[in-house]
Amino acid sequence: MVALVAVVTICTAVTGAYRINLTPSEPLGLWRIIPLHRPAAVDDLLFICPPETAAMRAARARGYLRSGSCPGGVAPLIKTVIAVVGQHVEIGVSVSVDGRGVSSSSLALRDGKGRPLTPFPSGIVPPGYIFLHPAFPSSYDSRYFGPVPASGILGLAQEVFTYVP
């Protein structure tokens, strides 16, 4: 009976657009995906499926991405939009967008296991793409994998029951 209740609860959560975040990029806990009926904007906190690219496959192999329901078998990311189409993103020691510095954006040259990290080249965000970065400085985000297709957006991320350890 307990197993049946657990299965029903999990199915309801998934079909009801609820997700559990176990990554340090945003508070741990229960989140909800809210449909987004407009183009993504700067400061939107989103759930997004990462594209199936060589950078994402390498990230998965390194353990940066968890298993989940997105293409490529990875979990959706929860990230904040910091740049949209036409904005210039400069990636140096830290990130700036249209000449304005982004907080908590200094780049790491190595990950937590000492493996080298390569920053994405600076440039203009192309049509159909967004540039992502959360406030968590050790996040694996667009500083390293570049802009991502807006077509992967699942919706806005809304905290339901979360905590910061």
Side-chain angles (χ1 to χ4, degrees), residues 4-163:
L4 179 61
V5 170
V7 169
V8 169
T9 302
I10 290 169
C11 289
T12 302
V14 170
T15 59
Y18 289 91
R19 299 289 185 270
I20 294 175
N21 178 47
L22 299 173
T23 68
S25 292
E26 293 296 335
L28 304 174
L30 184 63
W31 290 74
R32 184 170 179 225
I33 300 172
I34 304 296
L36 183 62
H37 301 293
R38 59 170 172 75
V42 171
D43 293 329
D44 281 346
L45 182 61
L46 302 174
F47 272 101
I48 187 166
C49 282
E52 292 186 82
T53 62
M56 292 301 174
R57 285 188 292 278
R60 177 73 190 268
R62 284 184 170 201
Y64 302 160
L65 305 175
R66 299 192 188 278
S67 296
S69 59
C70 290
V74 299
L77 306 175
I78 305 175
K79 305 284 182 198
T80 301
V81 178
I82 64 165
V84 295
V85 63
Q87 291 189 288
H88 184 264
V89 178
E90 182 70 30
I91 302 175
V93 173
S94 61
V95 177
S96 65
V97 177
D98 291 339
R100 281 177 253 127
V102 174
S103 65
S104 302
S105 68
S106 23
L107 267 70
L109 299 176
R110 300 198 173 277
D111 68 11
K113 293 186 177 179
R115 298 171 293 197
L117 289 169
T118 304
F120 194 81
S122 302
I124 304 288
V125 178
Y129 284 75
I130 55 177
F131 198 91
L132 305 171
H133 174 68
F136 183 68
S138 297
S139 172
Y140 186 70
D141 52 54
S142 288
R143 294 175 293 175
Y144 306 104
F145 55 71
V148 295
S151 60
I153 295 172
L154 299 173
L156 295 169
Q158 178 185 56
E159 292 182 60
V160 175
F161 181 74
T162 62
Y163 71 98

